[in-house]
Amino acid sequence: MKKIVETIVKKPNQPGMVGDGFRVYNYIPRGGITQHRISPFLMLDFAAAFNFSPTDKPRGVDVHPHKGFETVTIAYKGSVAHKDSAGNSGIINPGDVQWMTAGAGVLHKEYHEEEFAKKGGFFEMVQLWVNLPKKDKSVAPHYQALTKDNITKVALPENGGEVNIIAGNFNGNAGAAATYTDVNLFDIRLNAGGKVATAVPATHNTAALVIEGSVNINGTEAGEHSFVLFKNEGEEIAISASNDSVILLLSGEPIDEPIASYGPFVMNTQAEIYEAVKEFQEGKYGVLN
């Protein structure tokens, strides 16, 4: 059975704001978990459920660059619209996932979808940054729009709940996303009394975020909004819920390469960071109004 690290990260006391539309708690890296320790994952922002008031001007984040990694946005409540400098756009609704490979560089903006903004309501999302290995950092930017209808679902026994397999392999079932390195990303929905068991490679860096409810993970209690980091020992993970719960389980094979990061740029050396900033300043990531 996989062992849990002795410290479970609790939800930070205060959220931060990304733009004016994303009220987030940062678990990676400001929760004390370094990018090297949790590689290939670079960042995890959790926009815990918050009730936004109606507005005619959608809240969000204006134009910003990304280079050298991927962003994964998982929608639980509310809707997000996005656009980029390559001409892509779309809407992420509850149950959907947007997997954006920034690769060689792209301009991007995201904001509350217009109709959701007008009505207001609860907004809950996770954004995860996933590193790319050096050989893939210059791939052309592209998206995987994973809707709730095309994400693989596995029903758990005895009405225990359901697992949405965003990426990787859950008990022999393949996930929807194509990944550059070995990554598992499971959206687990447990009913009260429900249980789930799976295994991940011992070499994977593995963690779980309790989105809603409270659960027992391998004999350790984890309350709502807690973040559990596993040791790289053993493979089996068993989760049970005393009440309706939602858990995001993530694991990945570490990328054994240097990490140089500066804001929205993640490369392998500081020289590459300087080059990425220069490319952005020279307009090489395109134009987005």
Side-chain angles (χ1 to χ4, degrees):
M1 181 169 284
K2 210 163 186 65
K3 294 182 179 179
I4 295 176
V5 167
E6 60 275 7
T7 301
I8 295 179
V9 178
K10 304 294 185 181
K11 184 176 77 172
N13 290 329
Q14 295 294 329
M17 289 300 297
V18 179
D20 63 357
F22 300 90
R23 180 181 179 272
V24 303
Y25 296 89
N26 180 264
Y27 289 81
I28 304 171
R30 286 193 287 274
I33 302 170
T34 68
Q35 293 176 329
H36 285 282
R37 172 62 184 87
I38 197 65
S39 174
F41 308 109
L42 298 162
M43 189 204 76
L44 191 152
D45 273 346
F46 174 39
F50 183 78
N51 194 1
F52 281 92
S53 60
T55 177
D56 289 329
K57 183 181 178 182
R59 303 173 177 94
V61 184
D62 209 350
V63 180
H64 56 280
H66 290 297
K67 180 176 181 174
F69 63 99
E70 302 179 290
T71 68
V72 181
T73 304
I74 305 166
Y76 293 93
K77 297 181 174 73
S79 299
V80 173
H82 68 91
K83 292 182 179 179
D84 76 8
S85 54
N88 299 298
S89 64
I91 297 172
I92 313 164
N93 292 308
D96 296 344
V97 175
Q98 180 211 67
W99 198 297
M100 181 183 80
T101 303
V106 69
L107 301 182
H108 189 242
K109 66 178 181 179
E110 49 204 334
Y111 42 93
H112 294 188
E113 186 272 328
E114 186 175 359
E115 290 304 313
F116 171 77
K118 288 179 179 179
K119 295 178 182 177
F122 280 97
F123 187 89
E124 184 177 51
M125 305 238 168
V126 165
Q127 186 166 95
L128 184 68
W129 290 9
V130 182
N131 202 7
L132 288 168
K134 182 179 180 64
K135 67 181 181 63
D136 296 313
K137 284 187 178 292
S138 294
V139 300
H142 60 276
Y143 288 89
Q144 298 175 73
L146 311 175
T147 69
K148 62 181 180 181
D149 294 327
N150 63 25
I151 292 175
T152 307
K153 296 174 174 57
V154 173
L156 297 173
E158 300 177 0
N159 194 34
E162 184 176 71
V163 178
N164 297 308
I165 312 171
I166 300 169
N169 190 290
F170 173 82
N171 296 354
N173 299 280
T179 63
Y180 284 87
T181 58
D182 193 6
V183 170
N184 292 311
L185 195 56
F186 307 146
D187 169 36
I188 301 171
R189 314 291 181 106
L190 292 180
N191 297 327
K195 299 179 181 180
V196 62
T198 191
V200 299
T203 55
H204 275 206
N205 288 330
T206 305
L209 174 65
V210 183
I211 304 290
E212 295 178 13
S214 58
V215 296
N216 183 291
I217 305 178
N218 286 7
T220 298
E221 297 297 325
E224 187 168 77
H225 299 172
S226 59
F227 185 83
V228 177
L229 180 66
F230 294 84
K231 288 185 177 180
N232 298 90
E233 300 177 20
E235 298 182 344
E236 301 297 324
I237 297 175
I239 306 174
S240 60
S242 56
N243 50 28
D244 291 352
S245 299
V246 179
I247 310 98
L248 181 65
L249 181 65
L250 53 141
S251 83
E253 189 69 30
I255 298 173
D256 188 18
E257 295 175 354
I259 298 172
S261 60
Y262 178 74
F265 308 106
V266 182
M267 305 301 292
N268 297 108
T269 68
Q270 284 300 315
E272 290 171 338
I273 291 292
Y274 296 145
E275 181 63 25
V277 173
K278 182 181 177 183
E279 289 172 350
F280 168 58
Q281 293 172 338
E282 293 175 348
K284 293 184 178 179
Y285 297 165
V287 176
L288 180 59
N289 294 324

